[in-house]
Amino acid sequence: MAWLSLLADYTMRNVVLGSALLGAVSGALGCFAVLRRQGLLGDTLAHAALPGIALAYLLTGQRALPVLLAGAALSGWLGTAALIYLSRATRIKEDSALGIVLSVSFAVGVVLLTFINRQPQARAVGLERFLLGQAAALTADQVELMALLSAGVLIVLVLGYKEFALLAFDAPFAASLGWNTTALSLLLTTLIVITVVVGLQAVGVVLMASLLIAPAVAARQWTDRLHLMVWLAAAFGAISGVMGAWLSASDRGIPTGPVVVLVLSAITVVSLVVRRVRAWLARRAAKGEAER
Amino acid sequence: MSALLVVLLTGVLTAIACALPGSFLMLRRLAMLSDAISHAILPGIVLGYFLAKGPNFALGLLGAASVAILTVGLIELLQDVSNVAGESAIGIVFPAMFALGVLTISRYYANVHLDTDAVLFGNIEFAPFESLWVGEHHLGPQSLWVTGGLALLNALFVGLLYKELQLATFDPALAATSGFSPRLLHYALMAVVAVTSVAAFTAVGSILVVAFMIVPAATAYLLTDDLRRMLVLAAGCGVASAVIGFVLALALDASVAGAMASASGLLFVTAALFSPSHGLLARARQLRRQRLEFATETLLLHLRYHETLPGEEHELEVAHLSNELRWTPRFAQRVIAHAQRSGLVQRTNGHLALTEAGRAVAEHLSARTGAGLERARA
Amino acid sequence: MKDDCAQSHSDHGFAIVADDVTVTYRDRPAVQDVDLRIPPGRLAAIIGPNGAGKSTLMKALLGLVPLAAGQVSIFGQPVARQRRRIGYVPQRSSVDWDFPATALDVVMMGTYGQLGWLKRPGPRERKLAMQCLDAVGMTAFADRQIGQLSGGQQQRVFLARALAQQADVYFLDEPFVGVDAVTEKAIVELLRALRDQGKTVVVVHHDLDSAPEYFDWLVLLNVRLIACGDFRQVFTIANLRRTYGGAMTASIRHFEWLELEKHQTSAPIS
């Protein structure tokens, strides 16, 4: 098969591995975001990262990934701060705060991008790849950096699993145990910021929301137990990451993000349908039992 | 008409059209639904393009509006049937729709009129170059007709159904028992948001539509407590953002749509800081005043308590006071100054004493709050 | 007393009739097989433990939730046709207090049902709204944004809104929660006045101590109907026990104790 030969290619193997890792991490992390009803936080943070990327390039003149990602993380963080401030200290409700931070920071990013595009070497900088994702354009050391960051997130997630689980399930109870829930939730948000920033290259600003939400929702349909849900979500994320990278690599014109999202959506739809069918079968069985 | 003026007017009319339904979206806590709709209409627009074998506004509008309603229905289905939380349902549906649209465009229409850049940033700059023709008659730029018609339509919608929208937003249960189906109104609003998003989409792209819908509405929300005034203010903020953004874009040679949305952000931040009723500074000032008034009451009660004890004049020195009540000396000075200004306390050679008015207030306070003396002692 | 509520041949003369009403949330019944009757001119309480489905039953009577089974009629007609005769005060916790609306705006909303689609409220509605605000002693606060009012004042405004509906049947969901003692008394006075004008008033209530003083008709609910009828006949230890099951509250114990005293002085009741 043609696409199998892609695996033989060293760079391609890197890209696929990187995407798989990214999918797994965002899938696992997404479970906590979704359970805390913060699904769209990732969406907003991804958009908030855009002006940071553009500004980092404009200020340093460098297009090295670590520089751009640092800018992205910084502005993602600022976006989080704005979100928290707006929904706590003003009468603005959380959904409006999400919409405001998302759209305004994207607007600032768009303005900054026009400055960059005016420069002669604009095409070479290729910041546009952050919008819809272009995993195939990743170089080996970029993948290495992504892998490193993802692994870091994963380690923190494993170490703090019990704490995050309780935070997601019952934050007031966690607080009553004397845990610093503000710090915990800040840590979780930081992990989301890092994951989003890492994911930008692969799936892009616009579709990052899906990578955090869909695997978690799909996994939730198969199990009622958190650790199983986290594993499953990681697996779903990884599978779609691999498929996305593969398919978009086989045709340079296709951005990665949409492919990843469509694979994920297919998995989610199947999961939702299976859940309904299983519930229906269970009800029918129960009814049959009762009649007998 | 000059090309620049067409761009500016398109922006202004889009802002008005968006701010009106956007205000109700925000009050209904559905702000992110505008994000979902503005992304999800993409495959609808592509479908219209495909059916008409080229750019066709009417078919695009029709396709997009029906896809938008489908999206809202899907999100509700996920919530009701599969128990997926609201924001997760939004986050599942719209990326899938948008991905479908982007993929189709980049696969089949790459580098044609419909490109992904236009989807993301809109192309308000091209507004002057598309004219509306009816038969042989040239009626001027199409964008002005579309956005103008939409602004008018939305003003009519909000104006005629003001009472119904207000009630169904504030209290859906009463709306239902009063015979105004909240569901019908919800879907009517969604249809308006969808059609508005399509028109705004061609001008400013899918992401900045959210800025035009939500940000001016939120700015107005921080400025007034009257819904009618809020709607007018939201439209006004939208117009102001469009004008300021236009000027900025010309000055900086930047994306017009981006600058307009950024300007709306600027106005929002200004309102969040300086709004006389709900701004950060107003709140801080209010908090400070409350603290000062509370502290003044405490001071009066404290002085009153010491008046009842013989031979404790030294207690009434400023330094002692700040010590006893655990106030910083600066805060104590402020409280005393405030009490003196209000004529409740007077200072005689370093000692503080209640005036007649002050004593009356203190007595009233300690009668009202049984714990008054306790507080003074603490 | 069960007879007061069972299905019977002549349901004429009842303000509210519910037969076999079942409402389910996520496959689980929140309210099951409830038959109830409330005659006009009564001040009725729906009482039961947490999770008994009190609010759900009220919403079912109002036609706000789909019924899995059964039917509700108001003065012999389906609810959908009697909307104009129904007034409603929602639970305080369900209100968005930041909403840009003044006290007068809220009371005006009560007149919308009579106006119907598209017609705008005019001076007549404004006058009516001011009268209703006056009836609850809130005229001075007409232009205040609702979030700036105290809990008791907010409840008065919503009561004024119900008055503006000029209904025949009033439904109130936990009207005394988060309300000061003075307001509670004022609300009760108003509800009594409504009853004395022949209106029917139904209140979801949770305080057993005040219930005997306030109400003259009682619906005891714990998912299923426990009992329904004239307050004094239904409000018995046996019924309360069946309603609250193991979750005996201090107040029930208190009533039990009172009942014991009665036993010592007079003949046993049940």
Side-chain angles (χ1 to χ4, degrees):
Chain A
M1 280 195 251
W3 46 267
L4 255 186
S5 68
L6 281 173
L7 254 196
D9 177 33
Y10 171 75
T11 335
M12 196 53 221
R13 201 160 55 211
N14 270 334
V15 169
V16 169
L17 277 178
S19 306
L21 193 56
L22 170 69
V25 171
S26 44
L29 194 58
C31 291
F32 297 97
V34 165
L35 289 175
R36 297 189 71 203
R37 317 205 89 213
Q38 290 184 330
L40 289 174
L41 184 66
D43 192 26
T44 295
L45 294 185
H47 286 76
L50 187 65
I53 294 173
L55 210 57
Y57 173 75
L58 277 173
L59 290 181
T60 65
Q62 289 183 39
R63 45 184 283 240
L65 194 59
V67 175
L68 300 184
L69 291 194
L74 202 67
S75 69
W77 246 99
L78 277 178
T80 314
L83 264 182
I84 294 173
Y85 168 73
L86 281 181
S87 46
R88 290 218 182 135
T90 73
R91 69 196 315 215
I92 300 292
K93 305 294 177 289
E94 205 180 349
D95 64 302
S96 300
L98 283 168
I100 291 165
V101 173
L102 180 154
S103 60
V104 171
S105 42
F106 190 81
V108 174
V110 168
V111 169
L112 293 175
L113 278 183
T114 46
F115 294 158
I116 294 172
N117 281 342
R118 230 184 296 143
Q119 299 177 349
Q121 73 280 25
R123 279 289 151 199
V125 182
L127 291 190
E128 254 86 19
R129 71 174 187 274
F130 285 103
L131 292 173
L132 293 170
Q134 194 59 273
L138 289 174
T139 63
D141 50 338
Q142 288 176 340
V143 171
E144 229 164 72
L145 177 66
M146 282 172 61
L148 214 66
L149 286 171
S150 309
V153 171
L154 210 58
I155 289 170
V156 178
L157 196 59
V158 169
L159 288 179
Y161 175 81
K162 182 178 89 237
E163 284 75 12
F164 291 136
L166 192 57
L167 184 71
F169 176 64
D170 189 348
F173 179 67
S176 78
L177 294 180
W179 296 0
N180 188 342
T181 47
T182 317
L184 259 180
S185 117
L186 222 57
L187 179 61
L188 195 60
T189 312
T190 308
L191 294 183
I192 295 179
V193 170
I194 297 174
T195 311
V196 163
V197 164
V198 171
L200 289 182
Q201 292 251 85
V203 296
V205 162
V206 186
L207 296 168
M208 193 57 213
S210 179
L211 210 55
L212 281 164
I213 297 173
V217 171
R220 180 71 187 80
Q221 308 308 315
W222 297 94
T223 175
D224 289 328
R225 297 170 62 183
L226 182 62
H227 67 275
L228 279 180
M229 178 177 160
V230 173
W231 278 112
L232 262 178
F236 290 154
I239 292 171
S240 27
V242 170
M243 301 272 283
W246 247 333
L247 289 173
S248 80
S250 59
D251 182 339
R252 292 246 152 193
I254 297 183
T256 327
V259 181
V260 174
V261 168
L262 284 182
V263 174
L264 260 180
S265 306
I267 294 176
T268 311
V269 168
V270 170
S271 304
L272 286 165
V273 169
V274 167
R275 163 81 164 227
R276 294 302 298 172
V277 171
R278 277 171 56 195
W280 179 74
L281 285 176
R283 257 207 307 277
R284 225 176 58 147
K287 214 178 247 174
E289 203 110 301
E291 272 161 19
R292 218 182 309 141
Chain B
M1 203 183 292
S2 103
L4 282 178
L5 192 60
V6 173
V7 173
L8 174 63
L9 275 181
T10 305
V12 164
L13 291 169
T14 307
I16 295 174
C18 285
L20 295 175
S23 298
F24 283 102
L25 273 186
M26 188 205 65
L27 288 176
R28 296 171 147 250
R29 316 209 169 170
L30 296 175
M32 288 307 273
L33 208 53
S34 76
D35 187 38
I37 288 180
S38 66
H39 282 85
I41 53 181
L42 186 57
I45 291 173
V46 177
L47 187 72
Y49 191 93
F50 170 76
L51 288 177
K53 299 189 174 60
N56 180 313
F57 186 77
L59 274 177
L61 189 73
L62 204 68
S66 31
V67 170
I69 296 292
L70 179 78
T71 304
V72 175
L74 268 179
I75 289 170
E76 279 174 19
L77 188 77
L78 274 180
Q79 284 174 277
D80 296 346
V81 177
S82 293
N83 304 342
V84 178
E87 74 289 333
S88 295
I90 288 177
I92 287 174
V93 175
F94 89 78
M97 299 286 224
F98 191 73
L100 200 65
V102 169
L103 220 54
T104 326
I105 291 176
S106 57
R107 195 95 187 83
Y108 302 106
Y109 299 105
N111 305 319
V112 205
H113 180 76
L114 202 65
D115 64 356
T116 45
D117 267 12
V119 168
L120 290 171
F121 314 125
N123 40 16
I124 196 170
E125 288 87 349
F126 295 112
F129 307 119
E130 258 178 83
S131 299
L132 186 68
W133 294 86
V134 173
E136 293 294 300
H137 300 281
H138 179 220
L139 294 179
Q142 172 177 301
S143 68
L144 288 188
W145 285 99
V146 171
T147 52
L150 210 62
L152 194 68
L153 186 84
N154 291 359
L156 275 176
F157 175 74
V158 167
L160 286 176
L161 290 174
Y162 172 80
K163 169 184 104 223
E164 288 78 3
L165 287 168
Q166 176 207 32
L167 182 56
T169 302
F170 180 64
D171 191 343
L174 182 65
T177 59
S178 300
F180 308 109
S181 161
R183 238 189 135 59
L184 186 68
L185 284 162
H186 176 69
Y187 273 91
L189 181 66
M190 288 306 129
V192 167
V193 168
V195 174
T196 309
S197 298
V198 184
F201 174 94
T202 35
V204 300
S206 60
I207 297 160
L208 299 180
V209 172
V210 185
F212 279 69
M213 290 247 177
I214 302 304
V215 182
T219 311
Y221 185 55
L222 290 176
L223 293 174
T224 178
D225 279 328
D226 181 305
L227 181 55
R228 254 175 260 265
R229 217 169 294 157
M230 186 185 135
L231 289 168
V232 174
L233 268 175
C237 289
V239 171
S241 316
V243 174
I244 296 172
F246 182 73
V247 173
L248 276 178
L250 281 190
L252 300 172
D253 186 20
S255 148
V256 174
M260 286 178 171
S262 300
S264 74
L266 213 61
L267 285 183
F268 175 76
V269 171
T270 311
L273 289 178
F274 302 112
S275 158
S277 47
H278 299 285
L280 176 70
L281 292 188
R283 283 200 178 192
R285 208 177 310 129
Q286 195 186 356
L287 212 68
R288 242 171 74 122
R289 203 177 49 232
Q290 275 171 0
R291 232 181 100 208
L292 195 63
E293 254 145 41
F294 187 76
T296 307
E297 288 181 5
T298 308
L299 174 70
L300 295 182
L301 287 169
H302 188 81
L303 292 178
R304 172 93 190 87
Y305 171 66
H306 279 291
E307 269 186 353
T308 62
L309 303 176
E312 288 213 21
E313 272 84 20
H314 68 275
E315 273 284 354
L316 307 182
E317 284 167 26
V318 178
H320 266 102
L321 260 175
S322 71
N323 209 357
E324 184 114 332
L325 294 170
R326 295 208 192 103
W327 290 339
T328 61
R330 251 187 77 207
F331 185 66
Q333 290 291 359
R334 260 185 55 211
V335 176
I336 292 167
H338 180 255
Q340 276 180 310
R341 261 200 318 277
S342 316
L344 300 170
V345 161
Q346 59 194 1
R347 196 192 294 245
T348 39
N349 45 24
H351 297 284
L352 282 173
L354 290 169
T355 62
E356 278 310 310
R359 193 164 298 118
V361 172
E363 259 149 33
H364 176 73
L365 279 173
S366 64
R368 197 186 62 191
T369 57
L373 280 180
E374 294 299 318
R375 209 168 93 198
R377 246 173 248 147
Chain C
M1 76 248 134
K2 182 100 189 166
D3 294 344
D4 283 343
C5 292
Q7 295 181 33
S8 63
H9 298 297
S10 76
D11 279 335
H12 290 300
F14 283 110
I16 302 165
V17 172
D19 287 327
D20 299 328
V21 165
T22 300
V23 180
T24 55
Y25 278 140
R26 310 210 161 142
D27 303 336
R28 192 180 301 163
V31 166
Q32 199 170 9
D33 285 333
V34 168
D35 292 327
L36 70 84
R37 266 123 192 81
I38 299 173
R42 291 289 190 152
L43 186 44
I46 300 178
I47 290 180
N50 288 334
K54 303 184 292 280
S55 288
T56 306
L57 176 62
M58 178 164 277
K59 290 201 175 105
L61 297 178
L62 281 160
L64 292 177
V65 289
L67 303 184
Q71 55 215 354
V72 174
S73 64
I74 308 284
F75 289 110
Q77 302 260 354
V79 212
R81 265 198 253 151
Q82 297 282 38
R83 295 231 148 108
R84 302 228 165 131
R85 300 179 72 178
I86 296 174
Y88 172 52
V89 177
Q91 235 173 59
R92 266 172 45 79
S93 58
S94 70
V95 176
D96 172 9
W97 297 108
D98 281 336
F99 197 87
T102 61
L104 183 62
D105 286 337
V106 171
V107 180
M108 292 276 270
M109 290 179 194
T111 67
Y112 289 2
Q114 308 279 351
L115 279 172
W117 287 89
L118 294 178
K119 234 178 281 167
R120 287 155 181 271
R124 218 175 58 102
E125 281 71 28
R126 211 185 149 77
K127 199 172 146 224
L128 174 65
M130 285 307 284
Q131 282 169 356
C132 295
L133 270 176
D134 190 41
V136 296
M138 287 291 295
T139 335
F141 299 92
D143 291 327
R144 215 48 104 66
Q145 197 265 336
I146 47 168
Q148 293 164 7
L149 302 172
S150 73
Q153 292 169 333
Q154 289 170 342
Q155 199 61 19
R156 286 167 190 240
V157 168
F158 273 81
L159 199 65
R161 186 180 77 172
L163 294 179
Q165 289 185 268
Q166 299 187 303
D168 294 320
V169 187
Y170 288 92
F171 291 93
L172 297 88
D173 199 346
E174 300 266 18
F176 305 121
V177 169
V179 150
D180 54 288
V182 181
T183 303
E184 178 158 341
K185 285 280 166 294
I187 294 176
V188 169
E189 280 314 309
L190 253 160
L191 297 183
R192 284 188 180 138
L194 284 172
R195 175 194 58 194
D196 296 342
Q197 290 165 33
K199 316 274 189 191
T200 311
V201 183
V202 184
V203 178
V204 168
H205 192 63
H206 71 278
D207 179 21
L208 284 174
D209 289 324
S210 57
E213 187 197 336
Y214 293 169
F215 302 104
D216 59 15
W217 193 266
L218 177 62
V219 177
L220 283 174
L221 185 77
N222 191 349
V223 182
R224 290 167 177 281
L225 184 79
I226 305 298
C228 157
D230 190 78
F231 196 97
R232 268 165 308 177
Q233 284 168 12
V234 172
F235 199 71
T236 63
I237 292 302
N239 278 342
L240 289 178
R241 269 226 177 114
R242 282 169 58 214
T243 312
Y244 285 82
M248 293 283 280
T249 64
S251 338
I252 301 185
R253 298 236 169 75
H254 172 70
F255 283 111
E256 221 163 11
W257 182 76
L258 281 180
E259 203 84 343
L260 261 178
E261 277 194 331
K262 267 195 259 173
H263 274 265
Q264 285 162 357
T265 53
S266 63
I269 298 177
S270 45

